[in-house]
């Protein structure tokens, strides 16, 4: 979905839902919007106390990583002489159902936890044992040797893309955003929608308009 961060979602641009949740949470010293798109930066600049950063073209390509964009933002802030940042929180705009309360709870869990990082997750819709891969002949392979009822399996969780928290010193160009075994902040699937397709967008709009 080209330009999806600017598409109107229930009355405001998609990115506005994340900006407003970040502001409402009250946990940030600085809130930064980094983008190569001037229209996105223009939307962000309408909010008080939002720092906007123009992302260079080489960090806006399909091969650029989130870590590289964050590292660039940190270097730019430090070059401007802003305050030192000990903790970095990444909020992707494609998770508009994430609430300020989620950000607050995740941050508290990170501060009191015993891990260098935290990531938001939600429970898998179906047991991973029910999944597999297709071989060259179209056969489904890799299924568990014995299939059971869904409630007979242990709960498993996946990244939902809504919240990432780590220490500033762990952010570096070319490195992973998260390492080791991060803490997991569990969110309900109802707030874990990550908009990637037009169907995701329509579903999210239905949820927001129903509230």
């Amino acid at each position: 979905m080209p330009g999806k961060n600017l598409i109107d979602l229930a009355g405001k641009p998609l990115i506005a839902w994340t900006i407003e949740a970040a502001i409402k949470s009250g946990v940030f010293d600085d809130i930064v919007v980094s983008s190569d798109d001037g229209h996105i930066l223009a939307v962000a600049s309408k909010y008080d106390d939002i720092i906007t950063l123009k992302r260079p073209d080489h960090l806006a390509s399909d091969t650029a990583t989130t870590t590289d964009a964050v590292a660039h933002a940190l270097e730019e802030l430090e070059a401007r002489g802003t305050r030192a940042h000990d903790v970095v929180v990444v909020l992707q705009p494609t998770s508009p159902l994430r609430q300020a309360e989620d950000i607050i709870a995740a941050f508290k869990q990170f501060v009191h936890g015993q891990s260098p990082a935290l990531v938001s997750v939600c429970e898998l819709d179906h047991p991973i044992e029910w999944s597999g891969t297709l071989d060259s002949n179209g056969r489904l392979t890799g299924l568990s040797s014995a299939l059971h009822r869904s409630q007979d399996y242990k709960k498993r969780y996946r990244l939902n893309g809504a919240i990432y928290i780590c220490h500033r010193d762990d952010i570096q160009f070319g490195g992973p955003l998260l390492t080791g075994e991060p803490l997991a902040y569990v969110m309900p699937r109802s707030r874990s929608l990550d908009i990637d397709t037009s169907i995701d967008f329509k579903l999210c709009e239905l949820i927001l308009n129903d509230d």
Side-chain angles (χ1 to χ4, degrees):
M1 294 181 64
K4 63 183 173 183
N5 290 333
L6 291 171
I7 296 178
D8 184 280
L9 174 63
K12 65 185 74 171
L14 173 59
I15 193 172
W17 291 92
T18 291
I19 292 173
E20 292 177 9
I23 293 171
K24 185 179 179 181
S25 73
V27 305
F28 300 105
D29 291 323
D30 292 308
I31 301 175
V32 180
V33 174
S34 168
S35 177
D36 66 309
D37 190 323
H39 295 95
I40 289 177
L41 298 179
V43 169
S45 66
K46 294 178 181 179
Y47 293 86
D48 293 337
D49 301 323
I50 295 292
I51 299 173
T52 58
L53 292 178
K54 185 71 165 64
R55 194 181 303 175
D57 291 341
H58 72 278
L59 292 181
S61 67
D62 292 337
T63 58
T65 67
T66 297
T67 306
D68 291 341
V70 174
H72 168 263
L74 288 167
E75 287 189 353
E76 283 292 304
L77 290 177
E78 290 160 8
R80 295 182 182 185
T82 63
R83 75 194 89 196
H85 299 88
D86 298 322
V87 175
V88 175
V89 181
V90 177
L91 304 174
Q92 298 185 143
T94 49
S95 299
L97 301 181
R98 171 225 308 105
Q99 299 177 356
E101 290 74 15
D102 291 313
I103 300 171
I104 295 168
F107 185 73
K108 288 181 177 178
Q109 184 178 344
F110 173 78
V111 170
H112 297 294
Q114 299 297 318
S115 177
L118 176 145
V119 65
S120 59
V121 301
C122 65
E123 187 179 344
L124 282 175
D125 297 17
H126 303 290
I128 195 171
E129 289 83 0
W130 289 6
S131 66
T133 58
L134 297 181
D135 66 15
S136 58
N137 295 313
R139 295 188 182 90
L140 184 63
T141 64
L143 286 176
S144 172
S145 58
L147 298 179
H148 304 284
R149 301 174 304 165
S150 60
Q151 58 265 38
D152 293 333
Y153 294 101
K154 288 183 178 181
K155 289 184 178 181
R156 290 178 180 267
Y157 299 85
R158 65 170 178 83
L159 306 183
N160 69 356
I163 304 171
Y164 300 86
I165 306 178
C166 60
H167 292 286
R168 187 264 177 271
D169 291 343
D170 292 329
I171 298 290
Q172 55 185 319
F173 280 102
L177 183 61
L178 300 176
T179 58
E181 296 182 347
L183 293 168
Y185 171 68
V186 180
M187 292 173 58
R189 288 202 296 265
S190 61
R191 296 204 301 277
S192 295
L193 186 61
D194 184 10
I195 293 181
D196 187 46
T197 67
S198 58
I199 292 176
D200 297 332
F201 199 93
K202 291 175 182 178
L203 177 58
C204 189
E205 193 161 43
L206 286 172
I207 294 171
L208 290 170
N209 287 332
D210 191 50
D211 287 343

